[in-house]
Amino acid sequence: MQGKGQGKGMIKPAKLADAIADHLETLIREGVLRPGEKLLPERDLALKLDVSRPSLRDALEKLEERGLLVSGRNGTHIAQFLAPIAAPLAALLQSDPDAPFHYLEFRTSIEAAAKLAAQRATDLDRQAIRALAQRMRDAHGKDDPSEEADVDAQLHLAFYEAAHNTVMLHIMGALSEMLRNDVFYNRDRLYTRPGVRDLLLEQHLAIVDAVLAGDAEAAHAAAEAHVMFTLHTLREIREDDTRLEASLRRIGRTDLIETAERA
């Protein structure tokens, strides 16, 4: 006869903690829980997951050991687990004048994300994409483009989520955070360039329409066209800046030479 607590259907606390840890790890891997986000307090999280607090505490400790959670005075957060790579990479890229173009060239190689999103998006994914598209339309009518630029980054992240490729999701999520911080280029300069803001809206909505329609080839083509347009526009901005700097140097040359008036 089995002893008390040894029933066939009974889950031991240690195994329950493993199950909780595995569940939370899956949520992190799939991007449901995102780096930097704060978990509910232990008591509330235990109630939400319908588990005991000791088992939950053990599970959280396991995830901390794996480097997926960070606990402190302000609670427990999803770890910025790509930060050891992303932070020094951001510092390197900020000092590279060609980083914007290298980034966008890289983007063209992975814009299959839109194609995968068109093929794999769930109803919930499509709902999120529709909501972001509407937010972008609403923000487009405002004088300040910063909100629209922020939704821009969120929309692309939604495409990566809808592609259901965890490698792509986490790598592009880290790069997206750099983009928000203007590591690659100044998004305000892009959005305030005459005529560009309207074209960017058209391009984003073209990707959205193709993804929602499940047209993989159209989604891929629209995403690629968008990235190439951004690349071309940033090159134009760089060339304009270079010409302006040359003009300013010519104006200032008189501070370096003796002119007829000074002779």
Side-chain angles (χ1 to χ4, degrees), residues 199-218:
L199 291 172
L200 288 175
L201 178 64
E202 291 177 12
Q203 292 163 12
H204 284 119
L205 295 181
I207 303 171
V208 168
D209 289 344
V211 169
L212 295 180
D215 190 334
E217 296 306 321

Side-chain angles (χ1 to χ4, degrees), residues 30-47:
E30 293 179 346
V32 178
L33 298 176
R34 301 175 182 178
E37 290 185 330
K38 183 179 178 180
L39 291 178
L40 291 172
E42 185 182 289
R43 179 178 179 179
D44 296 336
L45 188 58
L47 288 172

Side-chain angles (χ1 to χ4, degrees), residues 81-95:
F81 42 82
L82 288 181
I85 299 173
L89 178 60
L92 283 173
L93 293 177
Q94 282 182 317
S95 61

Side-chain angles (χ1 to χ4, degrees), residues 168-201:
M168 182 183 294
L169 173 62
H170 290 292
I171 290 176
M172 292 311 299
L175 292 178
S176 178
E177 190 61 28
M178 290 187 204
L179 182 61
R180 288 173 186 266
N181 294 323
D182 292 338
V183 169
F184 297 112
Y185 53 84
N186 186 315
R187 294 184 300 159
D188 284 344
R189 296 232 18 225
L190 176 66
Y191 265 86
T192 55
R193 191 169 177 82
V196 166
R197 192 173 173 184
D198 288 340
L199 291 172
L200 288 175
L201 178 64

